[in-house]
Amino acid sequence: MPDAWVETASEHVVARHDDRDTRDAERLVGELEALCAHTAELLGVDPPGEIALVLHGTPLQLDLAQPMLPLVRAATHPAARRIVAGWPQPGAIHVLAPRVLRDRASHDGPDEREFLRLVPGALLVQSMVGAVNPKLRPRRALLRSRWAWLSWGAGQLIAGQTAYARGLIRRRLQGGDQAPFPPGLGDAPLLGGSVLDLLRREEGMAAVGRLLREPLPRTADEALRGAFGGRATVHSAGTWRAHLARLAEGAER
């Protein structure tokens, strides 16, 4: 941990960070402020009073501050473990500092660098969605397979990560084993956004907002059938796999 935290604040976001991260923090809180307003509008709620953004200078600092994160990372498919770089809480986000995220992706090309740059925004969305929908509260959703895909997916889609997931998805599809639909706990950090991206394309962004804010049914199958206009989940699964293939090739950018 830094000897002394520095604070950089906007109306709804207060970043705590090392002084070497001040410039990044100033840019980041501005981006998150705009994302906060956009997410609140989609969910039909007022922006939160304050969200604390804690920027950690090393992966070890982050893991010590959020001891559940190493367990989630270990449960994640190897193709996606690099992108599990933060943890949302009600009213707070713990994440690697932007300079650390840049270093983590420095050899992998612009898409993955942009995907990782957007991690703080995705965590902000997860925190806000969890405040609206009790079943999607971060600790409850991200540690259970039933709704992990929806919590991770909300962050990916609304923060804009899905548009930069091409290479990561391609590596996952080349991994041999087929991902389930909806994605399980191991695939949710990467593939959750593709489910909501398909819903956005077929039913519109308003349908995504309804799925996130309205009370969820007992099972994911019921939620998916309702979201996709009553279509049987087995048929949605086939459509989703075709959509994944297009995303992997960059055809949906």
Side-chain angles (χ1 to χ4, degrees):
M1 302 287 284
D3 292 333
W5 288 104
V6 177
E7 285 197 356
T8 301
S10 60
E11 183 178 359
H12 298 103
V13 181
V14 178
R16 298 182 177 92
H17 53 88
D18 188 285
D19 60 0
R20 80 182 85 173
D21 296 312
T22 298
R23 181 173 298 179
D24 281 329
E26 289 172 347
R27 172 191 56 78
L28 188 55
V29 296
E31 293 178 356
L32 295 186
E33 189 68 39
L35 180 60
C36 184
H38 172 65
T39 304
E41 182 178 5
L42 179 66
L43 297 175
V45 298
D46 293 328
E50 179 179 299
I51 292 182
L53 171 67
V54 185
L55 302 179
H56 294 275
T58 69
L60 179 60
Q61 287 178 4
L62 175 61
D63 289 350
L64 290 174
Q66 297 297 315
M68 297 304 301
L69 189 58
L71 302 179
V72 173
R73 190 181 300 116
T76 300
H77 192 281
R81 284 176 186 162
R82 289 163 58 80
I83 66 175
V84 181
W87 187 255
Q89 296 176 327
I93 301 162
H94 288 258
V95 65
L96 292 175
R99 60 184 166 84
V100 185
L101 292 173
R102 286 193 294 269
D103 289 344
R104 175 169 285 206
S106 61
H107 61 284
D108 279 317
D111 276 2
E112 188 166 342
R113 286 198 294 273
E114 188 66 9
F115 189 101
L116 282 166
R117 188 186 74 80
L118 295 170
V119 165
L123 296 171
L124 172 77
V125 173
Q126 288 177 300
S127 178
M128 291 181 64
V129 167
V132 171
N133 195 324
K135 288 187 178 179
L136 298 179
R137 288 173 184 160
R139 184 179 180 89
R140 182 176 183 181
L142 301 185
L143 298 177
R144 298 180 182 180
S145 59
R146 184 181 301 176
W147 301 115
W149 62 274
L150 187 52
S151 180
W152 285 104
Q156 291 160 24
L157 180 69
I158 299 171
Q161 285 182 308
T162 308
Y164 300 97
R166 174 176 55 179
L168 291 160
I169 292 175
R170 185 185 303 122
R171 287 203 294 273
R172 173 62 184 93
L173 296 182
Q174 293 170 347
D177 56 318
Q178 188 177 71
F181 179 79
L185 189 61
D187 283 306
L190 174 59
L191 301 184
S194 64
V195 179
L196 294 185
D197 188 52
L198 179 63
L199 178 61
R200 176 185 66 86
R201 291 175 185 277
E202 292 195 353
E203 303 291 338
M205 200 64 190
V208 174
R210 287 194 298 272
L211 178 61
L212 294 174
R213 69 174 176 264
E214 293 181 358
L216 291 167
R218 187 176 58 86
T219 68
D221 182 77
E222 293 176 81
L224 288 165
R225 279 192 283 112
F228 284 101
R231 183 170 66 193
T233 305
V234 64
H235 298 310
S236 291
T239 305
W240 173 70
R241 295 189 195 286
H243 184 56
L244 272 185
R246 291 192 295 271
L247 288 174
E249 295 307 316
E252 298 292 326
R253 285 287 297 273

